[in-house]
Amino acid sequence: MDIAETANHAAEPAAHGVPMMDEGLLFLAVAVICILLLHRLRISPVLGYLGAGLVLGPTGFGVVREVEPIRAVAELGVVFLLFLIGLELSVDRLRALGRWVFGLGTAQFLITGGVVATVAAALGLSPSTAILLGGGMALSSTAVVVQLLIERGEVASPTGRTTFAVLLFQDLAVVPLLLFAAVLAGPPDQSIPLAMALALGKAALAVVVILLVGRFTMGRLLRMVAVTRSTELFTATSLLIVLGTGWATGLGGLSMALGAFLAGLVLAGTEFRHQAETDMQPFKGLLLGLFFLSVGLGIDAAAIADKIGWIVLGVFGLILTKALIAGGLALAFGATREVAIRSGLLLGEVGEFAFVVIATAAEQKLLDGELSQALVATVGLSIAVTPFLPALADRLVRWVSPSAEGPVPEALGEPHVLIAGFGRVGQTVAALMARQQVPVVALDLNPDLVREKRREGLPVHYGDTARHELLKQMGADHALAAIITLDDPLAAARTVAAFRDHWPHLRLFARARDREHAGNLLAMGVIAVVPETFESSLTLARGALESLGVPSGAVDELVQLYRETDRSPPHPSGQHD
């Protein structure tokens, strides 16, 4: 093709809507508007993406007419979602909440899924489709619920721990649901139990292979990358791990999402977990937003309008059913009435993963178009009303227990001190804090140092201290103070700026290279700065003067006076510069 033909080809209007480049720009514009607007309204951006897809799609203004190319890319959002779920499921976390995760969580998922599946089968769906739908509807929205707990200061409260335990098991249940959906997508004449057994066998083999290979390769690879201190290379390597394991499981006839989940599980126990989570979060957010947008593109507004009454009834029926089951089970497992009411209502909505289940079922013709669109609308509305459920729970608690004054806000985990940089200075600071039983969490970009100190049981993680997302992961929201011990002035300034921009009231203390650097840090809002060369010079001068016979009192006065005035030192010859 010559240049003229290429130009003519590029100038041709798209036959099926706007060109791919325009669609990309359109999606980014929609993402920015949805997140900004709905963040102000405290509404989940998921609803914005669904609404935008409805407006821009074929049944709306028809700006986007070809949905399939977008869905092909949007599926990667589910892959990244499963990777981050794997990162959250560390062995220590599951062990700490074991009884609640595998007891209450299992019971909630099975009973709720069974009830929904029974209703679906009674409405005419096949048993296998009803089971898949019941499992999808039994899940709750981890993103929305955790955000509500954070905003109300209840993450570490009994309500937060109970709710989070159930959400953890639901995250685990996603993988079997994906396998079951893949089985249903197979030939119609296959034996479902046999196909499911084969899928579980293949999945088990994939789990063993990826966990074994990943344990000896992923950590070492990231340590080699971390030595370069290149954030771009670390991000690229994390992307390679996520997409590479997904590609590998895809070649084996399993879903890419399962491979990504296993990769997250491997990295969950390493020092790179938080940095990988921080780097992958934007990809997950945008691609999952694109997935929800593609769901909205397939919604027929006219079909939903005809069934709006049934949809609203379905929303309230689902929330009531799920809340009663979760709350009742929480009581049976020993939770108080107040905790059971609050946890039950928080778990009452249907989670975002139900969109994946519905889309899969509709794609395989297991659900007809009208029913799938009505279900999408039901899930979306249930997420929309979730922010109002905690206030309803407060009222119910006061009605059931008149003496209760509502939830008592608790700290988001144990208050601690953040240490940026874990070299000799940072380690000394951590040791002194430990002697006073002050909890600390440290970050450093030296992978060998991080690995060595973690083996010693010290709470240090690999990561860039200038990344505010990572500082948030390390608990900056509830930190008592932050101590910056970095020896690189530029890195220290970037870290101070990250703290000041996002946590302006957090007390900051810093190490400085010299007096000029100290002045710069003080101007940025650091409470106290210790210039290492200045203080070491004073210490050396003190020792030398005392050894020459100068009285200690005179030396102390001289040092204090010099520290306060910080005049330029006289020239050795007695002449001033």
Side-chain angles (χ1 to χ4, degrees):
M1 181 181 290
D2 59 25
I3 297 176
E5 289 175 334
T6 303
N8 291 334
H9 179 76
E12 291 177 0
H16 303 289
V18 293
M20 184 60 73
M21 181 63 181
D22 292 353
E23 289 179 351
L25 292 174
L26 181 65
F27 166 67
L28 290 175
V30 167
V32 171
I33 294 171
C34 285
I35 294 173
L36 284 177
L37 179 62
L38 297 181
H39 177 74
R40 288 181 174 272
L41 299 175
R42 295 183 177 275
I43 298 175
S44 172
V46 171
L47 302 176
Y49 288 124
L50 290 173
L54 180 63
V55 171
L56 299 174
T59 62
F61 290 107
V63 178
V64 178
R65 297 173 192 166
E66 280 291 334
V67 181
E68 290 308 316
I70 294 178
R71 280 182 178 161
V73 179
E75 293 297 329
L76 291 176
V78 181
V79 172
F80 281 93
L81 173 65
L82 266 292
F83 173 73
L84 293 177
I85 287 175
L87 282 178
E88 288 294 322
L89 295 176
S90 65
V91 175
D92 291 338
R93 181 170 293 186
L94 291 174
R95 187 183 297 121
L97 294 171
R99 173 173 172 266
W100 295 94
V101 173
F102 297 106
L104 177 60
T106 303
Q108 183 275 336
F109 177 76
L110 292 178
I111 295 175
T112 304
V115 170
V116 176
T118 301
V119 173
L123 294 176
L125 294 181
S126 67
S128 55
T129 305
I131 292 173
L132 177 64
L133 194 60
M137 293 295 183
L139 305 179
S140 304
S141 174
T142 300
V144 175
V145 172
V146 170
Q147 184 61 36
L148 288 172
L149 289 171
I150 290 173
E151 291 175 357
R152 291 167 61 86
E154 295 179 21
V155 170
S157 69
T159 298
R161 289 193 295 269
T162 302
T163 306
F164 190 65
V166 175
L167 293 174
L168 274 179
F169 183 83
Q170 291 180 359
D171 289 343
L172 283 171
V174 164
V175 175
L177 280 176
L178 281 173
L179 292 175
F180 190 51
V183 167
L184 294 184
D189 57 346
Q190 68 178 341
S191 169
I192 298 295
L194 178 60
M196 191 65 191
L198 290 174
L200 287 174
K202 291 170 64 176
L205 180 61
V207 168
V208 172
V209 171
I210 290 178
L211 289 183
L212 285 177
V213 174
R215 182 177 180 183
F216 295 104
T217 59
M218 291 184 190
R220 291 183 181 181
L221 175 61
L222 286 176
R223 289 185 192 103
M224 293 171 59
V225 171
V227 170
T228 67
R229 300 199 175 192
S230 169
T231 55
E232 296 84 357
L233 182 58
F234 191 94
T235 301
T237 306
S238 299
L239 282 170
L240 176 63
I241 289 174
V242 176
L243 298 177
T245 51
W247 173 77
T249 52
L251 287 181
L254 299 170
S255 70
M256 286 186 65
L258 175 61
F261 172 80
L262 294 174
L265 211 58
V266 171
L267 294 181
T270 71
E271 64 270 30
F272 303 107
R273 169 194 162 195
H274 296 289
Q275 184 69 45
E277 183 176 3
T278 301
D279 288 345
M280 294 300 102
Q281 193 72 39
F283 293 100
K284 187 271 289 186
L286 285 174
L287 289 171
L288 202 57
L290 185 59
F291 172 79
F292 295 136
L293 184 73
S294 69
V295 172
L297 289 172
I299 295 176
D300 187 340
I304 290 178
D306 293 338
K307 294 183 174 62
I308 190 64
W310 288 106
I311 290 172
V312 173
L313 184 62
V315 169
F316 286 106
L318 266 174
I319 291 176
L320 180 62
T321 301
K322 293 186 67 177
L324 286 174
I325 293 173
L329 289 172
L331 277 175
F333 275 80
T336 64
R337 282 189 301 177
E338 291 79 6
V339 170
I341 291 172
R342 292 197 174 100
S343 296
L345 280 171
L346 280 171
L347 295 167
E349 83 291 336
V350 184
E352 295 91 346
F353 194 78
F355 291 126
V356 181
V357 172
I358 296 168
T360 302
E363 184 179 342
Q364 302 302 325
K365 309 301 181 184
L366 302 173
L367 296 173
D368 63 61
E370 289 188 4
L371 179 57
S372 65
Q373 290 172 12
L375 288 173
V376 166
T378 301
V379 174
L381 282 177
S382 77
I383 295 175
V385 302
T386 303
F388 304 102
L389 296 180
L392 175 60
D394 292 343
R395 292 191 176 188
L396 288 175
V397 166
R398 284 194 292 268
W399 179 66
V400 172
S401 303
S403 60
E405 295 294 333
V408 179
E410 295 186 28
L412 306 183
E414 188 178 19
H416 60 273
V417 171
L418 270 171
I419 299 178
F422 207 63
R424 287 177 297 174
V425 177
Q427 293 170 38
T428 302
V429 170
L432 291 173
M433 293 288 171
R435 291 190 179 186
Q436 291 298 315
Q437 297 184 353
V438 176
V440 298
V441 175
L443 278 169
D444 199 281
L445 269 175
N446 184 332
D448 296 329
L449 174 68
V450 170
R451 187 181 186 190
E452 176 187 346
K453 296 306 173 184
R454 283 175 66 88
R455 285 176 174 172
E456 297 175 9
L458 296 177
V460 56
H461 302 271
Y462 174 83
D464 184 357
T465 57
R467 299 283 298 276
H468 72 87
E469 306 97 331
L470 183 58
L471 295 176
K472 189 176 181 67
Q473 291 285 337
M474 294 292 100
D477 288 338
H478 55 274
L480 298 169
I483 302 175
I484 295 93
T485 68
L486 302 168
D487 58 0
D488 182 352
L490 180 59
R494 290 170 56 228
T495 300
V496 170
F499 277 116
R500 275 290 160 257
D501 289 345
H502 297 87
W503 299 276
H505 303 298
L506 183 64
R507 290 174 292 181
L508 300 182
F509 304 86
R511 159 202 187 185
R513 174 166 291 182
D514 48 39
R515 295 297 285 172
E516 180 182 359
H517 183 210
N520 294 337
L521 293 177
L522 288 170
M524 295 179 70
V526 177
I527 292 177
V529 180
V530 178
E532 56 185 24
T533 54
F534 183 74
E535 291 297 331
S536 60
S537 299
L538 292 182
T539 302
L540 286 172
R542 180 196 296 273
L545 288 171
E546 289 179 346
S547 69
L548 294 173
V550 180
S552 297
V555 173
D556 290 340
E557 184 177 347
L558 176 63
V559 169
Q560 184 61 30
L561 179 64
Y562 192 87
R563 183 181 279 116
E564 292 174 353
T565 57
D566 189 20
R567 290 195 293 261
S568 298
H571 194 274
S573 65
Q575 309 242 340
H576 292 286
D577 292 331

